[in-house]
Every structure is written in structure tokens, then in C-alpha cells.
Amino acid sequence: MKILITGGTGFIGRQLVNALSADNDITILTRSAGKAHLELGRQHRLLGNLSALSSLDGFDAVINLAGEPIADKRWTLEQKQKICHSRWDITTRLSQLFNASQHPPSVFISGSAIGIYGNHDDHTLIDESFDLTQHNDASHTDFAHRVCTRWEALALEAANSTRVCIVRIGLVLGLNGGALKKMLLPFKMGGGGIIGSGKQGMSWIHQADLVGLILFLLHNDKCSGIFNGTAPNPVSNKDFTKALGKALHRPTFLPMPAMALNIALGELSQLLLEGQYVYPNRALEAGYQFTYPQLSEALAALMQNQ
Ligand SMILES: NC(=O)c1ccc[n+]([C@@H]2O[C@H](COP(=O)([O-])OP(=O)(O)OC[C@H]3O[C@@H](n4cnc5c(N)ncnc54)[C@H](OP(=O)(O)O)[C@@H]3O)[C@@H](O)[C@H]2O)c1
């Protein structure tokens, strides 16, 4: 297959590109050829800008994961604009290109995040049938909700031309990027502990399962629409903390109070203090089999490779 991937140099994208490399002809949209060569070698085609294309004719599939990192910097107005427009502008252009194609690629897999569901204090499992429009409460003024709602709508503009799958990605567990990488050092030093109340849901997924799910959606013609990219067993922050401490054989006595995080991170602290318990109903119904459905096994497998 000829596949166009945006965000291919990122934490998830790199693993996806490696999984697809052997059997596919890959083009990576990147702002930096040097970074792409460093991360992925020189065997892939690179594209610097989508404006170089007038259609997607010739591609069989598009996977869209690009976006300014959401948790790297404080959410100033300027940073929020970057987070939004890096996703929205690329996705807008991709949908336009799908709709301008004589023979559009047969599938468009586009990223989103479980932050679209807003904050939910209770442990009720949220699946893809959750009606976002009926819950006009404060959670829906959340920044992550607003970013993702538009990001998804823009990807769905290609739906008349192709099969669109949106993956609402959860907390991706891997050692080379994402939240776990940031948590490892404090936990290893014995400084890990629950965050805020510890009751907030953490809907995690092992990196191999996220890549597996994307490949499953790529090849499964019957799949379209929204898919939660999370393991079937979300846990509370308290249980996540215990499991990570156990996997690292480290104590987890040091709590991180909500107020300290608010002061240190501002609005960005929402990502740590709030959560939701997300369930991947549609992936399971479609027949995707998780390699790591349980957190303890997922963490043990990752720590083995340290
Ligand atoms: N990791 C997670 O736990 C998680 C959870 C939920 C959702 N997601 C979503 O899944 C996608 C991939 O996640 P990831 O962790 O692999 O992200 P990542 O490592 O931050 O990589 C994203 C890629 O996007 C491109 N990018 C970054 N800033 C950009 C900007 N300002 N404008 C245009 N392109 C930009 C970069 O490619 P170049 O530098 O090559 O251009 C980068 O390699 C992201 O959209 C993220 O929001 C991730």
C-alpha cells in the first residue's frame, strides 16, 4: 500500500512507521527532513508541506497523527493556538485533498483524544455511544474537548470520499514518549504518588495495542466512525500509581496535591487532575483483540524492555 502518514516522526508515529515499513510504501509529512532521517532512517519518502499536493490520487491510505504536543508547555493563549491549529489546519487540508481526488485513498485514519469526553468524576464506563451534544455541562468547556471536537469534525469532512476512522487515543504507555516516560524518573527515585484525589480515571493503552488497533482499522473495510483507543480496563489514578510502583519495585507514598499542580502547571494540570473511564466498545465489537488488556501485564511487558 502507498500510505501518507502525518506525525510519523512522533512517539506513536515512529512505531507505526516501523510496523508498516516492510510491506508498504510510506510518505511522511514532516517539518524537518533531518529529524525524520534521524528517527526513521532514509528509506521513506518525505513531504514538507501538504500544499505541494493537489489531490491524494496515488495514495491508498492516510494516517493523521500530527499535532503540537499537548502537555509539553503551559497552556498560554499562544500555545493553545498552536495546539489547535497544528491539528485543525493539517486535517482541513487532508479532507480537502480527499475531496479533490479522482481516486481517493480507501481509508483515512485520523487521531483524536479521550479528552473529548471531558472530565467525569464517577466510574461509569464511557464508550463511543456517549452523546457529547447532550451533556452541555462545564466539562465541555474543557480545552481538550474543544480541540478534539473540531479535529474530528474536520476529519469527517472527508467521509463522502473515503472510509474515515477516528481514534480517540487514551494515555499511551511506552518508554520512549508520552506520559509514562515523564513519570518514570520520579517513580524510580521513590517520589511517585497519587495525584490530587487519586480518583480520576486513567484510560491507558499499551503502545503495541494502539499500533495494533490502527493497523486493524487500516485493513478492516467494515470499520468506520469513532473508536476509543484505550484498553478495556481503565483504572483510577490511585490504582495506576500502585501498579506503576509495583512494576518498578518502588514505594509510592508521596502524593501530589492538586493545588501544587495548579500552581506549577496552570490549566494544563487538568490533564493530570481530571479524567474519565473510557471503554473501547467498538474496537472489541469489531474483533480487535488486545495483547495487553490488563495494566499490570502492560507495565510488566514495558519494564522488561528497559
Ligand atoms: N501519546 C499519547 O498518549 C496521546 C494521547 C492522546 C492523543 N494523542 C494524539 O496522538 C497524536 C500522536 O501523538 P504522539 O504522542 O505520537 O505525538 P508527538 O510525539 O508529539 O508527535 C507528533 C508529531 O506531530 C508533528 N508536530 C508537532 N508539532 C507540530 C506543529 N506545531 N505543527 C505541525 N506538526 C507538528 C511532529 O512531526 P514533525 O516534527 O516531523 O513535523 C511530531 O512528530 C497527537 O496528535 C496526540 O495529540 C497522543
Side-chain angles (χ1 to χ4, degrees), residues 6-14 28-33 35-36 64-70 72 82-83 85-87 90 111-115 148 151 167-173 177-179 205 210:
T6 81
T9 61
F11 164 48
I12 300 165
R14 290 193 302 269
I28 295 163
L29 178 76
T30 179
R31 296 161 304 161
S32 164
K35 175 180 168 185
N64 178 29
L65 295 169
E68 174 77 15
I70 207 151
D72 275 11
K82 265 195 194 172
I83 290 170
H85 285 287
S86 56
R87 288 169 176 78
I90 287 174
S112 180
I114 56 169
C148 294
W151 192 10
V167 186
R168 290 182 177 159
I169 301 171
L171 177 75
V172 184
L173 300 184
I205 183 168
L210 181 62

Side-chain angles (χ1 to χ4, degrees), residues 12-148:
I12 300 165
R14 290 193 302 269
Q15 299 174 64
L16 192 64
V17 170
N18 288 334
L20 286 164
S21 286
D23 307 325
N24 301 281
D25 176 341
I26 295 171
T27 301
I28 295 163
L29 178 76
T30 179
R31 296 161 304 161
S32 164
K35 175 180 168 185
H37 288 148
L38 192 73
E39 299 287 0
L40 297 162
R42 289 181 172 266
Q43 71 271 41
H44 308 295
R45 281 173 229 274
L46 303 181
L47 184 66
N49 201 309
L50 286 175
S51 58
L53 300 178
S54 56
S55 77
L56 293 168
D57 287 327
F59 288 107
D60 302 305
V62 177
I63 304 174
N64 178 29
L65 295 169
E68 174 77 15
I70 207 151
D72 275 11
K73 294 183 185 158
R74 270 179 96 96
W75 285 349
T76 59
L77 202 58
E78 189 191 350
Q79 186 61 15
K80 281 182 166 181
Q81 297 275 333
K82 265 195 194 172
I83 290 170
C84 290
H85 285 287
S86 56
R87 288 169 176 78
W88 297 347
D89 296 355
I90 287 174
T91 308
T92 300
R93 183 68 188 141
L94 286 174
S95 286
Q96 283 169 352
L97 289 169
F98 267 102
N99 294 335
S101 302
Q102 298 262 331
H103 303 286
S106 58
V107 58
F108 180 24
I109 299 177
S110 195
S112 180
I114 56 169
I116 197 166
Y117 294 117
N119 175 40
H120 294 269
D121 290 335
D122 58 28
H123 286 218
T124 312
L125 289 177
I126 295 174
D127 70 13
E128 296 86 349
S129 67
F130 183 87
D131 186 353
L132 295 166
T133 61
Q134 278 193 6
H135 294 259
N136 249 345
D137 57 25
S139 68
H140 287 211
T141 61
D142 280 357
F143 176 58
H145 171 79
R146 282 185 282 123
V147 177
C148 294

